[in-house]
Amino acid sequence: MSRRFDSRTNIFDPSGRIRQVENALEAVNHGSLVIGIKCSDGVLLCAERGDQSKLLEPQQEKIYKIDSHIVTGVVGVNSDGNTLVTRTRHQAQAHLKTFNSPITTEKLVNYVAQLKHVYTQYGGMRPFGVAMLIAGYDAATSEYQL
């Protein structure tokens, strides 16, 4: 199915690309830097704090604790990042309540990927303009994951 330019809504450009997805990618590209390093004895997440004018609001945090064994670094639109962090925290708590065991890092990453995919694919929803690095410790395999 080919996409055509719709002059009424103007969401597609003539080449068939979706502008909202490109805008979300641009927000991530213009965000501050977050780096993750996985070692044998842990994971290190670092976030850049840029110089800001005194007239602007103080910069939001970039590293968030999801659960006792999982943290994330967020780059992009702050409100989208806060939404995803809140939803991942709820998912981690729901998993703990349902299965009486903490959620694995891999399951949480799959949840975030599926959620972001849904918001990209279906109409009426704007794609998240955020990228996340998720780091955690898996007690079953005694490994750190990034």
Side-chain angles (χ1 to χ4, degrees):
M1 180 174 155
S2 65
R3 299 194 182 237
R4 303 170 89 190
F5 181 72
D6 186 357
S7 61
R8 291 173 290 140
T9 58
N10 203 20
I11 43 179
F12 303 117
D13 67 0
S15 65
R17 298 180 305 196
I18 301 173
R19 252 192 318 166
Q20 287 184 332
V21 173
E22 290 187 8
N23 290 342
L25 290 173
E26 251 340 274
V28 172
N29 289 337
H30 290 299
S32 62
L33 183 67
V34 173
I35 297 174
I37 300 172
K38 179 183 168 188
C39 305
S40 60
D41 57 345
V43 177
L44 177 67
L45 284 181
C46 301
E48 174 187 34
R49 285 193 183 207
D51 293 332
Q52 267 195 327
S53 169
K54 293 180 182 178
L55 300 175
L56 296 175
E57 291 183 27
Q59 218 173 17
Q60 297 274 331
E61 291 295 319
K62 300 293 179 187
I63 308 285
Y64 296 93
K65 182 177 177 181
I66 302 297
D67 204 356
S68 61
H69 64 290
I70 298 176
V71 295
T72 185
V74 179
V75 175
V77 180
N78 286 333
S79 60
D80 289 352
N82 290 337
T83 300
L84 279 177
V85 166
T86 301
R87 299 212 36 192
T88 55
R89 285 176 177 163
H90 287 166
Q91 182 68 20
Q93 290 302 309
H95 187 278
L96 181 64
K97 183 178 178 183
T98 304
F99 299 107
N100 201 23
S101 67
I103 192 168
T104 63
T105 308
E106 185 177 355
K107 281 185 183 180
L108 193 65
V109 168
N110 285 334
Y111 170 76
V112 172
Q114 288 176 356
L115 183 64
K116 287 183 73 170
H117 180 72
V118 166
Y119 272 74
T120 303
Q121 291 295 316
Y122 296 108
M125 292 187 241
R126 178 181 59 81
F128 287 106
V130 70
M132 298 175 79
L133 280 178
I134 299 176
Y137 177 74
D138 188 9
T141 61
S142 299
E143 285 186 359
Y144 292 95
Q145 297 178 340
L146 177 63

